[in-house]
Amino acid sequence: MSRPLTLEGWQVWDLAQRLTGQLRIAAGMGGGAVIGWDMTAALAMARALGVSPLIAAELLPALEAVMVRKLNERMEARDG
């Protein structure tokens, strides 16, 4: 992934780093999987940090998709 090029990009990157406690996880008989961030909490955190909710709503889904894929790959490799 490329480095953020704008102040807003850096703000959303910082926000994404803070969302580690806001994971949505699905668990079942075969184990568990990360399915995304709690976007309600993410947007509330964005507002609290002074990050534009519009920019956060535009950028977070792309970061979320990469995060979900990578975390699930790590969990599969570990449980494998």
Side-chain angles (χ1 to χ4, degrees), residues 6-67:
T6 64
L7 173 61
E8 292 84 0
W10 281 108
Q11 288 175 323
V12 173
W13 180 251
D14 178 64
L15 173 61
Q17 302 303 304
R18 296 169 186 255
L19 290 173
T20 57
Q22 301 303 324
L23 293 177
R24 293 182 304 144
I25 299 173
M29 295 292 286
V34 175
I35 58 174
W37 283 314
D38 177 340
M39 283 297 179
T40 301
L43 293 175
M45 189 179 292
R47 280 189 294 279
L49 294 169
V51 177
S52 165
L54 174 64
I55 299 295
E58 286 286 334
L59 298 178
L60 280 178
L63 294 172
E64 178 186 43
V66 173
M67 177 274 303

